[in-house]
Amino acid sequence: MAIVAERPLSLWPAAHAADARRPRSQQTKLGASDTVCARRAGYLLHGRTPTDGGEKRKAILGTWLHAGILDAAREEYGWLIERRVEDATVRGHIDAVQLDAATAARLPKRLRPMLPAEETTVEDVKTKGTYQWDNVLRYGASEAELRQVYLYADLLGSEGFASVKGQRQLARLGPVPVARIRFRFINRDNGDDYVQEIAYEADRARRARWWVQQVRAASNPEQLPRTFQGPGISAICDHCPFRTACWGLLVAGRSPQSQLIHNDEDRAKALAEYVEAGEQMKPLKEQQKLARAKLDGSEPGTYGDNVLKWSGGNPTKVDDVEAMVALYRRAGLEVPMAPDAAAMKATLKEVGIPVPTRLDHDRRTAMSINVTVSKKS
């Protein structure tokens, strides 16, 4: 009898296995993309074993989308993609480099872009979900994302392309000064994109270098600060591969942050911070309530930099007693003289008949306001 392999029910196990096999170098150098959190970078640099796995589907989808976009840019525009840069302490792979005309002319024709950039530009592609999209449109790249790309740009400007297989010709260019940094954000849920461009600033690059120096100077990861506020508050901490190493095992009924309190002095300080935050928030909440009241009755639409949407305000569902009485009569059941809605519902559910409801247009759900940033034309 031939043995037939069991048909896979899902491709995600294969995707996770392939992701686990992706080459990940030993951390003798800190990766520019690992500079999200100081303590996490310390764990990587000191060779600590990750303590947490977790769901990686969003990350894997982002990786696939990221690779597809860059491949298309290389084929259509001749961009230099996934190019390695490094020095003695930091390494990384730049998503895309667009050379200016003078620099591109020093390369063989096969490596030149179809259209040189006005200024040499380092581009980084980031994929985001819809939940994060409004923050992307309002605030652009985060501090961690800026630090990562400034490290790339600084490495390219000080060291040039790494002299490794596949980019020897690029390495012969030597240091390549960068004039512009570009972030290309892609919404992985609907395909929207948003581009943020900024001029290269040497001071920001120096600050990124200083950050790396502080991480490297620590004798152990625990000496380094936690950049984010911990599980349950920060999504980055929720999905961090070193969550347990950093915050310890979760205790039922207690937040991980509770371990930061060691004595009454700590409690007094935390209480003072809580009260101060409340005092700062109170006038802002009142201001927001007033603005919300002013907008009541406004039509949804784009006004200035923001988009106004409403949700709720719909009729509520209530038990349709008249329909239940009709069901009772059709079923030959005795209808109470004063219909008892609760008892009738229980009887209908017991015999498997859906309980009829109707919309009460006099009782409506609460209206909720939703404000997002408008798309720039």
Side-chain angles (χ1 to χ4, degrees):
M1 179 183 295
I3 299 176
V4 180
E6 183 179 354
R7 184 176 181 180
L9 299 178
S10 172
L11 289 178
W12 282 116
H16 281 84
D19 182 72
R21 288 194 299 271
R22 289 176 61 211
R24 294 173 170 88
S25 60
Q26 296 298 312
Q27 300 294 100
T28 55
K29 300 178 183 180
L30 187 63
S33 61
D34 297 326
T35 59
V36 174
C37 167
R39 185 171 291 191
R40 175 170 161 177
Y43 285 129
L44 290 167
L45 197 58
H46 287 81
R48 297 289 183 85
T49 302
T51 54
D52 301 271
E55 176 56 56
K56 294 185 177 180
R57 295 187 186 189
K58 290 181 180 179
I60 291 172
L61 284 173
T63 299
W64 290 347
L65 181 58
H66 186 272
I69 288 170
L70 292 178
D71 282 343
R74 175 180 54 79
E75 292 176 7
E76 294 297 317
Y77 307 127
W79 289 6
L80 299 172
I81 68 166
E82 292 290 355
R83 295 301 177 170
R84 182 169 162 181
V85 288
E86 63 183 337
D87 65 6
T89 60
V90 187
R91 57 164 177 76
H93 286 81
I94 305 177
D95 282 351
V97 180
Q98 296 157 55
L99 300 174
D100 61 22
T103 308
R106 297 165 54 197
L107 290 172
K109 285 187 177 180
R110 63 183 176 82
L111 291 175
R112 296 176 192 171
M114 295 179 183
L115 180 65
E118 293 182 4
E119 302 175 297
T120 294
T121 302
V122 164
E123 175 165 324
D124 198 63
V125 176
K126 300 291 185 189
T127 62
K128 302 284 185 177
T130 299
Y131 179 75
Q132 304 164 294
W133 198 244
D134 194 60
N135 280 344
V136 167
L137 298 180
R138 289 185 185 281
Y139 310 117
S142 68
E143 280 300 314
E145 290 166 340
L146 286 166
R147 181 166 51 244
Q148 174 189 351
V149 181
Y150 266 101
L151 286 170
Y152 290 150
D154 185 63
L155 286 168
L156 186 59
S158 60
E159 303 294 327
F161 294 97
S163 183
V164 296
K165 184 179 179 181
Q167 55 181 58
R168 305 285 186 197
Q169 292 277 3
L170 295 173
R172 293 192 184 106
L173 291 172
V176 179
V178 175
R180 185 161 294 276
I181 284 174
R182 179 187 299 128
F183 288 91
R184 189 178 303 274
F185 296 97
I186 308 293
N187 187 321
R188 59 176 172 262
D189 296 323
N190 59 24
D192 283 354
D193 64 345
Y194 172 70
V195 174
Q196 176 190 7
E197 288 193 353
I198 54 177
Y200 176 81
E201 297 179 35
D203 185 57
R204 274 188 161 180
R206 284 191 289 270
R207 292 202 300 268
R209 284 287 193 170
W210 179 87
W211 191 96
V212 172
Q213 290 167 4
Q214 302 310 300
V215 171
R216 294 187 64 85
S219 59
N220 64 72
E222 284 70 28
Q223 289 182 340
L224 294 164
R226 299 177 175 101
T227 303
F228 300 94
Q229 295 174 314
I233 300 177
S234 165
I236 291 175
C237 293
D238 289 337
H239 302 289
C240 178
F242 298 99
R243 184 185 65 234
T244 301
C246 186
W247 290 93
L249 294 171
L250 298 179
V251 178
R254 295 282 294 275
S255 70
Q257 292 79 3
S258 64
Q259 66 179 288
L260 302 177
I261 300 294
H262 301 101
N263 49 46
D264 287 348
E265 184 179 349
D266 290 343
R267 291 184 182 87
K269 182 179 178 182
L271 280 170
E273 291 172 350
Y274 183 87
V275 171
E276 182 182 3
E279 290 174 347
Q280 292 174 350
M281 289 167 58
K282 184 178 178 182
L284 294 176
K285 284 186 174 180
E286 290 176 350
Q287 182 181 348
Q288 188 181 46
K289 285 181 180 178
L290 175 59
R292 165 66 176 80
K294 289 179 179 178
L295 290 166
D296 198 24
S298 296
E299 290 296 321
T302 300
Y303 302 96
D305 294 333
N306 298 292
V307 178
L308 172 64
K309 297 178 183 177
W310 297 100
S311 61
N314 301 311
T316 58
K317 284 186 177 182
V318 296
D319 298 329
D320 190 339
V321 178
E322 290 184 3
M324 282 194 277
V325 169
L327 283 173
Y328 262 61
R329 286 174 175 158
R330 284 201 296 272
L333 298 173
E334 181 180 353
V335 179
M337 292 300 296
D340 183 339
M344 294 174 76
K345 283 169 62 177
T347 302
L348 290 172
K349 289 179 179 179
E350 186 178 344
V351 297
I353 298 176
V355 176
T357 59
R358 62 179 177 83
L359 295 178
D360 186 342
H361 292 271
D362 294 324
R363 297 169 57 189
R364 293 180 175 269
T365 59
M367 287 281 288
S368 297
I369 190 170
N370 179 15
V371 180
T372 57
V373 68
S374 65
K375 294 182 180 179
K376 305 298 182 184
S377 57

